[in-house]
Amino acid sequence: MDRAAPLSSKELIARTRPFATQDVARSGWNVVATYAALAAAVTLAVAAPWWPLKVVGAVLEALVLIRAFILFHDAMHGALLPTSKWAKVLFHAQGILTLTPARIWNDTHNHHHANTARIAADSAGTFVTWTTEQWRQASGWQRLGYRVERHPVTILLGYFTAFLYSLCLVPFVKDPKRYWTSGLALFVHLALSVGLCVFFGPAVYLVAFLVPLVLAYALGTYLFYSQHNFDQVNLLPESDWTHADAALEASSYLRCGKVMAWFTGNIGYHHVHHLNPRIPFYRLPEAMAAIPELQAPHVTTLSPRDILGCLRLNLWDPALGRMVRYRDAWRPAIAPVTTREHVPGPLASA
């Protein structure tokens, strides 16, 4: 039997369009349920009579904050309640409160989507990735800056590095007229921090504000980093780049189970999201289940082994066709890689 010809990039994207429609009632329910869960977690963190329960509340708050961010993220893509005026006000307010002002987020994140897997593209909105040749030619100070940006501590402290600094302070200082909302986010964040400490005490500030944000942004920053920085990632030359290839070859599928899929708003279906960012987060599993070409993704997990493996990959070696460690930049390439086996991952449902 003759094998069917592979779909072109345009054809594959066209197959996803039926899923880029939302159920308004379902979208509204997800917003209400998420914010209700967030309120419950904050209440537990603040009012629980036993400190272990307060810690549980803080952890739950951090996890729900990630889901709330996905709602904002989808709204910015036009995938969630795009015609609702109240939703627009809600999510813009959330962006200010959670250090992701809509203007800087849209500018950087849209750039990220348009340039995923483009090694020569500007790194705005993502972690910079160098080739081994760039590493060898860089100065000591340039290498230090590259190491610092991609260091696990930088990711762990994403609340300070990625959000307070990169999304708020830097854009506001560089262009205060365009990014005044980044300055507003900093002011509101500082006012909330001071207000909580003064009126409710340092303990409430820590357990219901600072700790949940640090935990949420550490995991969120890692998710963003890891889903484009994994062992089987494939960064293509500009001449070979297509949107579909960037989605399928340079974006992973995070296998994390139904509970974590809920907390992370199905962002683990990252290859599907990058193929068509207008698909609402709750329809990503449906799209993957219906389109065979999406059912053999590059799989990652949150296991310690996979996390460590991800954090050890730092440079793109064009000759080997894979990510390597810093020390490998000085080793001669064994042989160029022309094809790579794509191991099918399991099809999961949310």
Side-chain angles (χ1 to χ4, degrees), residues 122-279:
D122 184 270
S123 62
T126 190
F127 287 88
V128 64
T129 300
W130 282 359
T131 65
T132 49
E133 181 62 24
Q134 286 176 296
W135 175 259
R136 288 191 292 265
Q137 293 182 357
S139 68
W141 282 111
Q142 289 172 326
R143 289 179 195 152
L144 177 61
Y146 184 84
R147 279 182 177 269
V148 168
E149 178 175 338
R150 295 174 63 92
H151 198 277
V153 173
T154 300
I155 296 171
L156 183 65
L157 299 179
Y159 167 66
F160 303 99
T161 58
F163 290 84
L164 276 169
Y165 180 73
S166 294
L167 286 176
C168 293
L169 181 61
V170 170
F172 179 66
V173 170
K174 286 186 175 180
D175 192 345
K177 184 177 180 180
R178 179 171 180 79
Y179 298 118
W180 65 269
T181 51
S182 291
L184 177 61
L186 286 172
F187 174 78
V188 170
H189 208 69
L190 178 61
L192 282 173
S193 299
V194 173
L196 285 171
C197 285
V198 170
F199 294 105
F200 297 96
V204 169
Y205 166 70
L206 287 173
V207 77
F209 190 82
L210 184 61
V211 170
L213 286 175
V214 170
L215 291 176
Y217 291 155
L219 178 56
T221 304
Y222 173 75
L223 288 174
F224 186 77
Y225 177 86
S226 66
Q227 293 201 278
H228 301 288
N229 192 89
F230 50 93
D231 186 52
Q232 294 180 320
V233 69
N234 194 9
L235 307 185
L236 299 172
E238 186 67 23
S239 58
D240 296 336
W241 188 93
T242 69
H243 180 83
D245 283 338
L248 300 184
E249 296 299 326
S251 305
S252 68
Y253 164 61
L254 176 68
R255 186 175 59 209
C256 59
K258 292 184 178 181
V259 173
M260 280 303 293
W262 189 90
F263 282 121
T264 58
N266 287 332
I267 199 61
Y269 293 82
H270 214 59
H271 63 303
V272 186
H273 167 66
H274 264 262
L275 189 62
N276 191 338
R278 294 186 69 88
I279 300 175

Side-chain angles (χ1 to χ4, degrees), residues 26-88:
R26 189 176 181 186
S27 294
W29 164 249
N30 273 284
V31 173
V32 171
T34 299
Y35 279 99
L38 183 59
V42 172
T43 301
L44 181 63
V46 172
W50 192 36
W51 266 103
L53 283 179
K54 289 181 179 290
V55 173
V56 170
V59 173
L60 287 174
E61 183 183 343
L63 292 171
V64 181
L65 278 170
I66 295 174
R67 180 177 175 84
F69 168 77
I70 297 303
L71 300 183
F72 164 85
H73 164 267
D74 270 25
M76 294 301 103
H77 276 301
L80 193 70
L81 301 170
T83 61
S84 170
K85 293 182 179 179
W86 69 263
K88 182 177 181 180

Side-chain angles (χ1 to χ4, degrees), residues 84-105:
S84 170
K85 293 182 179 179
W86 69 263
K88 182 177 181 180
V89 172
L90 174 67
F91 289 124
H92 276 71
Q94 179 186 322
I96 296 296
L97 290 170
T98 56
L99 302 173
T100 53
R103 174 59 63 84
I104 184 62
W105 176 260

